[in-house]
Amino acid sequence: MLKVTVIDHPLIQHKLTLMRRVETSTGKFRVLLREISMLLAYEVTRDLPLKTTAIRTPLASMNAPIIDGKKLALISILRAGNGILEGMLELIPSARVGHIGLYREPDTLQVVEYYIKLPENLQDRDVFLVDPMLATGNSAVAALNRLKEAGARALKYICLLAAPEGIGNVNEKHPDVPIYTAAVDDRLNEKGYILPGLGDAGDRIFGTK
Ligand code: URA
């Protein structure tokens, strides 16, 4: 039984369909990813605790709600994660940001880390790891390992599309980390791409192919 939250808001589903289409241009793809990422940010921050604070409006004093507690950290898996990161930062501009550079060995699909820079005090933050495509799950598992080594405890993994294989991998290695996605697709192909998917997210965001 896979543990995953599918965010099935109609706006997200509609925009995802436009992103999947092979005819969609790089410019349009980027705009859609930014918009979907804002909507994902809205959903994954739904459980942030609130407290009240005393304020004055132009007309009266009141106790008004503001977000309480831990600060947020957004961690992008390079390079495609930056597409989601940008949209989420629009809604959460004061979040700290980290980057983890990983690539997949094409033959073995194993993960190699080539860059890491993380915010301080991850143990005191809600940490959102972002990457558009959860395929084999090997990058997600490696990034979650590194974040936990750095002290992160309250983690969420946020992607656009997930394959059952990747969800199962993350569920098994990091059962404490909730996964949020806009869709769960059918399966991986022999090269580790999600089917039907949307192709190579990095290439489509940056126009490199
Ligand atoms: N990474 C991508 O960009 N696309 C996939 O389908 C799988 C991994």
CSV table of all heavy atoms in Angstrom, one decimal, residues 2 17 30 34 37 39 52-53 60 63 76 79 93 104-105 112 118 135 138 143 145 156 159 169 174 184 197:
chain,number,residue,atom,x,y,z
A,2,LEU,N,0.8,2.1,-1.1
A,2,LEU,CA,1.6,3.3,-1.2
A,2,LEU,C,1.0,4.4,-0.3
A,2,LEU,O,-0.2,4.6,-0.3
A,2,LEU,CB,1.7,3.7,-2.6
A,2,LEU,CG,2.3,2.7,-3.6
A,2,LEU,CD1,2.3,3.3,-5.0
A,2,LEU,CD2,3.7,2.4,-3.2
A,17,THR,N,-1.9,18.9,-17.1
A,17,THR,CA,-2.2,18.4,-18.5
A,17,THR,C,-1.6,19.2,-19.5
A,17,THR,O,-1.0,18.7,-20.5
A,17,THR,CB,-3.8,18.3,-18.7
A,17,THR,OG1,-4.3,17.4,-17.7
A,17,THR,CG2,-4.1,17.8,-20.1
A,30,ARG,N,7.4,26.7,-18.1
A,30,ARG,CA,7.9,27.4,-16.9
A,30,ARG,C,6.9,28.2,-16.2
A,30,ARG,O,6.8,28.1,-15.0
A,30,ARG,CB,9.0,28.4,-17.4
A,30,ARG,CG,10.4,28.0,-17.1
A,30,ARG,CD,11.3,29.1,-17.4
A,30,ARG,NE,12.4,28.6,-18.3
A,30,ARG,CZ,13.0,29.3,-19.2
A,30,ARG,NH1,12.6,30.5,-19.6
A,30,ARG,NH2,13.9,28.7,-19.9
A,34,ARG,N,5.6,27.3,-12.4
A,34,ARG,CA,5.6,28.3,-11.3
A,34,ARG,C,4.2,28.4,-10.7
A,34,ARG,O,4.0,28.4,-9.5
A,34,ARG,CB,5.9,29.6,-12.0
A,34,ARG,CG,6.3,30.7,-11.1
A,34,ARG,CD,6.5,32.0,-11.9
A,34,ARG,NE,6.9,33.1,-11.1
A,34,ARG,CZ,8.2,33.3,-10.8
A,34,ARG,NH1,9.1,32.6,-11.2
A,34,ARG,NH2,8.5,34.4,-10.1
A,37,SER,N,3.4,25.3,-8.7
A,37,SER,CA,4.2,25.2,-7.5
A,37,SER,C,3.6,26.1,-6.4
A,37,SER,O,3.6,25.8,-5.2
A,37,SER,CB,5.6,25.6,-7.8
A,37,SER,OG,6.1,24.8,-8.8
A,39,LEU,N,0.4,26.7,-6.1
A,39,LEU,CA,-0.8,26.0,-5.6
A,39,LEU,C,-0.3,24.8,-4.7
A,39,LEU,O,-1.0,24.5,-3.7
A,39,LEU,CB,-1.6,25.5,-6.8
A,39,LEU,CG,-2.2,26.6,-7.6
A,39,LEU,CD1,-2.7,26.0,-8.9
A,39,LEU,CD2,-3.3,27.3,-6.9
A,52,THR,N,-2.2,33.9,17.7
A,52,THR,CA,-2.7,35.3,17.5
A,52,THR,C,-1.8,36.3,18.0
A,52,THR,O,-1.0,36.1,18.9
A,52,THR,CB,-4.1,35.4,18.1
A,52,THR,OG1,-4.0,35.1,19.5
A,52,THR,CG2,-5.1,34.6,17.5
A,53,THR,N,-1.8,37.5,17.4
A,53,THR,CA,-1.0,38.6,17.8
A,53,THR,C,-1.9,39.8,17.8
A,53,THR,O,-2.8,40.0,17.0
A,53,THR,CB,0.2,38.7,16.9
A,53,THR,OG1,1.1,39.7,17.4
A,53,THR,CG2,-0.2,39.2,15.4
A,60,ALA,N,-9.7,49.7,14.5
A,60,ALA,CA,-9.8,49.0,15.8
A,60,ALA,C,-8.6,48.2,16.1
A,60,ALA,O,-7.8,47.9,15.2
A,60,ALA,CB,-11.1,48.2,15.8
A,63,ASN,N,-7.0,40.8,17.9
A,63,ASN,CA,-6.1,39.7,17.9
A,63,ASN,C,-6.2,39.0,16.6
A,63,ASN,O,-7.2,38.4,16.3
A,63,ASN,CB,-6.3,38.8,19.1
A,63,ASN,CG,-6.0,39.4,20.4
A,63,ASN,OD1,-4.9,40.1,20.5
A,63,ASN,ND2,-6.8,39.2,21.4
A,76,SER,N,16.0,22.4,-2.8
A,76,SER,CA,15.8,22.0,-4.2
A,76,SER,C,16.8,20.9,-4.6
A,76,SER,O,18.0,21.1,-4.3
A,76,SER,CB,15.9,23.2,-5.0
A,76,SER,OG,16.1,22.9,-6.4
A,79,ARG,N,18.8,19.9,-11.1
A,79,ARG,CA,18.5,21.3,-11.3
A,79,ARG,C,17.0,21.5,-11.4
A,79,ARG,O,16.5,22.6,-11.3
A,79,ARG,CB,19.2,21.7,-12.7
A,79,ARG,CG,18.6,20.9,-13.9
A,79,ARG,CD,19.3,21.2,-15.2
A,79,ARG,NE,19.0,20.2,-16.1
A,79,ARG,CZ,18.8,20.4,-17.4
A,79,ARG,NH1,19.0,21.5,-17.9
A,79,ARG,NH2,18.4,19.3,-18.1
A,93,PRO,N,8.2,33.8,0.9
A,93,PRO,CA,9.4,34.5,0.5
A,93,PRO,C,10.5,34.5,1.5
A,93,PRO,O,11.7,34.7,1.2
A,93,PRO,CB,8.9,35.9,0.2
A,93,PRO,CG,7.6,36.1,0.8
A,93,PRO,CD,7.0,34.7,0.9
A,104,ARG,N,21.9,11.1,-11.9
A,104,ARG,CA,21.7,9.6,-12.0
A,104,ARG,C,22.7,9.1,-13.0
A,104,ARG,O,22.8,9.6,-14.1
A,104,ARG,CB,20.3,9.3,-12.5
A,104,ARG,CG,19.2,9.7,-11.6
A,104,ARG,CD,17.9,9.0,-11.9
A,104,ARG,NE,17.4,9.4,-13.2
A,104,ARG,CZ,16.3,8.9,-13.8
A,104,ARG,NH1,15.6,8.0,-13.1
A,104,ARG,NH2,15.9,9.3,-15.0
A,105,GLU,N,23.5,8.1,-12.6
A,105,GLU,CA,24.4,7.4,-13.5
A,105,GLU,C,23.4,6.8,-14.6
A,105,GLU,O,22.5,6.0,-14.2
A,105,GLU,CB,25.2,6.3,-12.8
A,105,GLU,CG,26.4,6.7,-12.1
A,105,GLU,CD,27.5,7.1,-13.0
A,105,GLU,OE1,27.4,7.0,-14.2
A,105,GLU,OE2,28.6,7.5,-12.4
A,112,VAL,N,24.7,10.2,-7.7
A,112,VAL,CA,26.0,10.7,-7.4
A,112,VAL,C,25.7,12.2,-6.9
A,112,VAL,O,25.1,12.9,-7.6
A,112,VAL,CB,26.9,10.7,-8.6
A,112,VAL,CG1,28.3,11.3,-8.2
A,112,VAL,CG2,27.0,9.3,-9.1
A,118,LEU,N,23.3,23.9,2.5
A,118,LEU,CA,22.1,23.8,3.3
A,118,LEU,C,22.0,25.0,4.3
A,118,LEU,O,23.0,25.4,4.8
A,118,LEU,CB,22.0,22.5,4.0
A,118,LEU,CG,22.0,21.2,3.2
A,118,LEU,CD1,22.0,20.0,4.1
A,118,LEU,CD2,20.7,21.2,2.3
A,135,ALA,N,10.9,9.5,-9.6
A,135,ALA,CA,10.9,8.4,-10.6
A,135,ALA,C,11.3,7.1,-9.9
A,135,ALA,O,10.5,6.4,-9.3
A,135,ALA,CB,11.9,8.8,-11.7
A,138,ASN,N,15.5,7.2,-6.1
A,138,ASN,CA,16.9,7.1,-5.5
A,138,ASN,C,17.4,8.5,-5.1
A,138,ASN,O,18.1,8.6,-4.1
A,138,ASN,CB,17.8,6.4,-6.5
A,138,ASN,CG,17.5,5.0,-6.7
A,138,ASN,OD1,16.9,4.3,-5.9
A,138,ASN,ND2,18.0,4.4,-7.8
A,143,ALA,N,18.8,12.4,-1.0
A,143,ALA,CA,18.7,13.8,-0.5
A,143,ALA,C,18.1,13.7,0.9
A,143,ALA,O,18.6,14.5,1.8
A,143,ALA,CB,17.8,14.6,-1.4
A,145,ASN,N,18.4,11.3,3.1
A,145,ASN,CA,19.5,10.8,4.0
A,145,ASN,C,20.4,12.0,4.4
A,145,ASN,O,20.7,12.2,5.6
A,145,ASN,CB,20.4,9.8,3.2
A,145,ASN,CG,19.7,8.5,3.1
A,145,ASN,OD1,18.7,8.2,3.8
A,145,ASN,ND2,20.2,7.7,2.1
A,156,LYS,N,9.0,17.1,4.5
A,156,LYS,CA,8.0,16.7,3.5
A,156,LYS,C,8.6,16.7,2.2
A,156,LYS,O,9.5,17.5,1.9
A,156,LYS,CB,6.8,17.8,3.5
A,156,LYS,CG,5.9,17.8,4.7
A,156,LYS,CD,4.8,18.8,4.6
A,156,LYS,CE,4.0,18.8,5.8
A,156,LYS,NZ,3.0,19.8,5.9
A,159,CYS,N,6.5,16.9,-5.0
A,159,CYS,CA,6.8,16.7,-6.4
A,159,CYS,C,5.6,17.0,-7.3
A,159,CYS,O,4.5,17.2,-6.7
A,159,CYS,CB,7.4,15.4,-6.7
A,159,CYS,SG,6.3,14.0,-6.4
A,169,ASN,N,9.8,3.3,-2.9
A,169,ASN,CA,11.2,3.4,-2.4
A,169,ASN,C,11.3,4.4,-1.3
A,169,ASN,O,11.9,4.1,-0.2
A,169,ASN,CB,12.1,3.9,-3.6
A,169,ASN,CG,13.6,3.7,-3.4
A,169,ASN,OD1,14.0,3.2,-2.3
A,169,ASN,ND2,14.4,4.2,-4.3
A,174,HIS,N,12.2,6.0,4.0
A,174,HIS,CA,11.9,7.1,4.9
A,174,HIS,C,10.4,7.2,5.2
A,174,HIS,O,9.6,8.0,4.8
A,174,HIS,CB,12.3,8.4,4.2
A,174,HIS,CG,13.8,8.6,4.0
A,174,HIS,ND1,14.6,8.9,5.1
A,174,HIS,CD2,14.6,8.4,3.0
A,174,HIS,CE1,15.9,8.9,4.6
A,174,HIS,NE2,15.9,8.6,3.4
A,184,VAL,N,-0.1,10.5,-9.7
A,184,VAL,CA,0.7,9.2,-9.7
A,184,VAL,C,0.5,8.6,-11.0
A,184,VAL,O,-0.6,8.2,-11.4
A,184,VAL,CB,0.3,8.3,-8.6
A,184,VAL,CG1,1.1,7.0,-8.6
A,184,VAL,CG2,0.4,9.0,-7.2
A,197,GLY,N,4.0,10.5,-18.0
A,197,GLY,CA,5.0,11.6,-17.6
A,197,GLY,C,4.9,12.9,-18.4
A,197,GLY,O,3.8,13.2,-18.9
